[in-house]
Amino acid sequence: MAAGGKGIPLFWNRTCRRILGLCMALTAGVVLWRLPLDGLSLDGQKCLALSAAGIILWAFEVFPLGYTSMGILMGYSLAINPLTAGPGDIFGFFTKPMAYMIISGFIIAGAVRASGLARRLALFLISRYISDYRHVIICCYLLSYIMAVMIPQPFARAFLILSIMQLLLKDSGLGQKHAANIGLAVFAAQNGAGMMVLTGDSSLNMMILSQIPEAFRPSWGQWLYYMAVPALLTGACMCALQLFLFGQPETFRLDRGKAKEELDKLKGLSAQEIRMMVWLMAAVGLWLTDTIHGIDIGWVSVGVTIGMALPLVGNLVDGSQIKEVNLNTLLFLCASMAIGSVGTKTGMSSFLAGRLLPAHLGDSLAALFLVTGAACILLHLLLGSIMAVFSLAVPALLTITAGVSPLAVGLLVYVLTVGQWFFPYQSLSLTIGLGEGEGGYSAGTASRFGLAYTVPSLLCGGAAMMWWRLVGLL
C-alpha cells in the first residue's frame, strides 16, 4: 500500500518521520542545553532542553510513549539538582490518588463492558428511538455521554458503542462513506463526553487537575457543576456540524427489530448486571459526596474496584482486567506531570511565560480568552499532544493571570485544547479510530471535521467562560 507519495511505502514514511523526529529532538536538546539563556538558571536550562527533546519525540512518535516518558524521567533524575527538584517532583504522579484513579478506571471499564450492562442500555435506546440515519449520529453522541458516567475510559466506551452500531447497521445499505461517518461520530463524541464528569476520562481529567494548585482542585460534584454546560455544548456543536458537513445517505434501512431481537436475547437482568448496577451506583454516590466523607475519588475508585472483586457481592473483576491497564498511559502521565512540576521548580515555566506571553493579563477575561486560545491552538499544532499542552500552557498562564481562579485557567485550557484539532494525531480518540479496521474514517475526513470545528470550539470556550462567570468561578 502506498501512502503520502507515489510508490513510497507506508513503512518508509513512518521510518523517515521517526528519523526526522529523532534528529530534531537531539538538535533541540543540544542547542538549548548549550545556548546562553539570560534569566534562566542552569537547572531551568537543563529542564528546558530535556523537555523540548521529549516533547518532539512524543510528537513524532519516535518511540512508544512509555519509552520516551521513562527517558524524560531519567533525564530529570540524573541532570537536575535534587535540591531544586527532587524525586517527589519528578515521580509525584505515582504518589497521588489520581494515579490509582486511572488504574481503577481501566479495570472498572473492562468490568462494565464484560457485564453486558452497557450493551443492554445501548440496545434499549436504539430499539426505541432510532428511526433514520440522523438519529444514529445523534445516538452515538448521546450514548457516549450517558456511558461517561458508567465507564471511566473513553476507548472502552467508543469500541463498545461501535461494535453495537456495526452489528445493527450490517444490512442497512449504507455506503462506506456514511458508515465511516458513524465511526467518526463515535470517536469524536468522546472529546466532549470525557469532560462532562471528572471520571469521564480518567487520564486527561487527572492530568489537568495535576497542573492546578491543590487548594483549587474541584470535587467530583464541583467539576460536574462547572463542566456539564461546556461539555454538553461541545457535544451539541460537534453533532450539529457533523450532520451539516457530511449529510445523509440516499438510502438507509434500519431494522429496529434486530435491536429488539438482540435485546430480547439478553432476557431479564442477570445477577452480574444487578451487582454491577449496585457497585456503579455506590461509586457515583461516593464520588458525588467526596466533600462530605473527605475520601479522595481516587481512593473511592480503588475501593469500588476491590469491592467488585469480593466473593458473593462482587465477582465482577478477576486477574484479566488488570491486563487492560495501559502502562504507556501511566508513564506518559507521570512524565507530563513532571514537565509541569519540575518546570515550575526550576523556573522554566516562568521563563517561557516571560518570553512567549504578555507580562501580565490581570483580571481581563477578554485578554485571558484571546491569549489562552492562541497559545492552545499553536502549542497543540506544534506538539500534537493534549497532555503536553496541559503541562506547558497551564503553569505558564498561571504566572501571568493574577486575580483569576487557577481552576478557571486550567479548565479553559482543557476546553480549548480537547475540542480542537487540525489533524487526527492531535486527538488520541480520533487517532485510535482511524482506518478500516476501527472507525472506518480517513485522516482527511477527520482533518476536515476538525478544521471546520475550529471556530465552534472557540465559541464553546467563550460560552464556558460566560457560564463560569455566571456561577461565580470567574
Side-chain angles (χ1 to χ4, degrees):
M1 182 183 290
K6 192 173 181 179
I8 302 176
L10 181 63
F11 169 78
W12 288 112
N13 265 3
R14 186 172 183 274
T15 300
C16 290
R17 184 185 67 190
R18 293 178 65 201
I19 293 172
L20 174 63
L22 180 61
C23 293
M24 290 177 63
L26 291 174
T27 301
V30 171
V31 169
L32 290 172
W33 191 287
R34 304 294 299 173
L35 191 70
L37 295 174
D38 295 333
L40 184 61
S41 68
L42 178 59
D43 281 327
Q45 187 163 356
K46 292 177 180 178
C47 180
L48 179 60
L50 292 167
S51 302
I55 288 170
I56 293 170
L57 292 174
W58 275 337
F60 282 82
E61 298 178 329
V62 176
F63 308 112
L65 285 178
Y67 295 176
T68 300
S69 302
M70 287 192 293
I72 293 172
L73 297 171
M74 178 184 70
Y76 286 164
S77 299
L78 295 176
I80 293 174
N81 187 338
L83 296 177
T84 303
D89 302 301
I90 298 170
F91 302 100
F93 171 75
F94 286 109
T95 68
K96 301 182 186 306
M98 69 178 68
Y100 306 95
M101 164 69 216
I102 295 167
I103 293 171
S104 300
F106 280 107
I107 296 171
I108 293 171
V112 172
R113 189 172 64 250
S115 73
L117 183 63
R119 175 181 171 83
R120 181 186 293 275
L121 172 63
L123 289 171
F124 173 79
L125 290 175
I126 291 168
S127 65
R128 289 292 186 91
Y129 302 111
I130 290 184
S131 59
D132 62 23
Y133 181 79
R134 184 166 48 91
H135 291 166
V136 174
I137 300 296
I138 295 171
C139 188
C140 290
Y141 282 86
L142 182 62
L143 281 172
S144 297
Y145 276 76
I146 294 173
M147 290 188 183
V149 180
M150 302 167 56
I151 305 178
Q153 218 286 335
F155 309 139
R157 290 195 301 268
F159 283 116
L160 176 62
I161 296 169
L162 184 65
S163 65
I164 296 169
M165 291 297 177
Q166 288 173 338
L167 172 68
L168 298 178
L169 300 174
K170 190 183 299 182
D171 302 317
S172 64
L174 278 180
Q176 194 278 333
K177 173 185 173 183
H178 289 97
N181 191 37
I182 293 173
L184 179 62
V186 170
F187 286 93
Q190 306 313 317
N191 289 328
M195 73 170 73
M196 185 174 69
V197 293
L198 184 53
T199 48
D201 187 329
S202 53
S203 299
L204 286 182
N205 297 358
M206 295 302 108
M207 180 62 205
I208 197 66
L209 284 190
S210 73
Q211 303 302 318
I212 297 169
E214 197 163 343
F216 295 93
R217 292 175 190 169
S219 65
W220 197 91
Q222 287 171 328
W223 177 285
L224 178 63
Y225 184 53
Y226 294 138
M227 292 297 283
V229 169
L232 292 170
L233 186 59
T234 295
C237 289
M238 278 190 178
C239 184
L241 180 64
Q242 190 172 354
L243 289 170
F244 173 76
L245 273 182
F246 301 105
Q248 299 191 51
E250 293 181 5
T251 59
F252 176 72
R253 303 181 305 274
L254 177 65
D255 184 3
R256 290 168 64 177
K258 181 183 286 188
K260 183 70 167 59
E261 183 181 317
E262 291 292 325
L263 186 61
D264 289 341
K265 286 181 184 178
L266 298 176
K267 299 182 179 178
L269 284 170
S270 67
Q272 186 180 16
E273 287 175 303
I274 292 171
R275 292 196 304 273
M276 178 57 69
M277 286 176 62
V278 171
W279 281 109
L280 285 176
M281 287 189 290
V284 173
L286 290 169
W287 287 333
L288 271 170
T289 56
D290 60 344
T291 54
I292 297 173
H293 54 67
I295 302 173
D296 189 280
I297 63 169
W299 301 132
V300 168
S301 302
V302 171
V304 169
T305 302
I306 294 172
M308 286 181 174
L310 289 172
L312 299 180
V313 297
N315 282 331
L316 296 167
V317 298
D318 52 29
S320 62
Q321 280 84 11
I322 197 75
K323 297 175 184 176
E324 300 195 26
V325 177
N326 192 322
L327 185 57
N328 264 325
T329 298
L330 294 175
L331 291 169
F332 181 46
L333 284 166
C334 183
S336 297
M337 183 173 168
I339 290 174
S341 57
V342 176
T344 299
K345 287 294 183 72
T346 59
M348 180 192 75
S349 297
S350 57
F351 175 81
L352 290 175
R355 297 299 186 278
L356 303 176
L357 298 174
H360 184 62
L361 288 180
D363 56 0
S364 170
L365 299 185
L368 173 65
F369 174 73
L370 292 173
V371 170
T372 303
C376 289
I377 290 175
L378 180 60
L379 286 173
H380 200 193
L381 179 62
L382 294 176
L383 304 178
S385 163
I386 292 173
M387 294 186 189
V389 175
F390 289 173
S391 62
L392 286 179
V394 177
L397 286 166
L398 290 180
T399 65
I400 62 169
T401 52
V404 179
S405 166
L407 175 58
V409 175
L411 294 182
L412 182 60
V413 169
Y414 185 107
V415 172
L416 290 174
T417 306
V418 170
Q420 183 276 323
W421 72 91
F422 296 126
F423 305 103
Y425 73 84
Q426 293 179 274
S427 170
L428 192 53
S429 293
L430 289 170
T431 302
I432 293 293
L434 278 175
E436 291 184 11
E438 307 299 346
Y441 53 88
S442 66
T445 300
S447 294
R448 179 188 172 199
F449 187 26
L451 184 63
Y453 188 68
T454 301
V455 172
S457 75
L458 292 171
L459 293 176
C460 286
M465 291 185 70
M466 294 172 62
W467 169 247
W468 297 332
R469 184 66 182 267
L470 183 65
V471 299
L473 182 60
L474 280 175

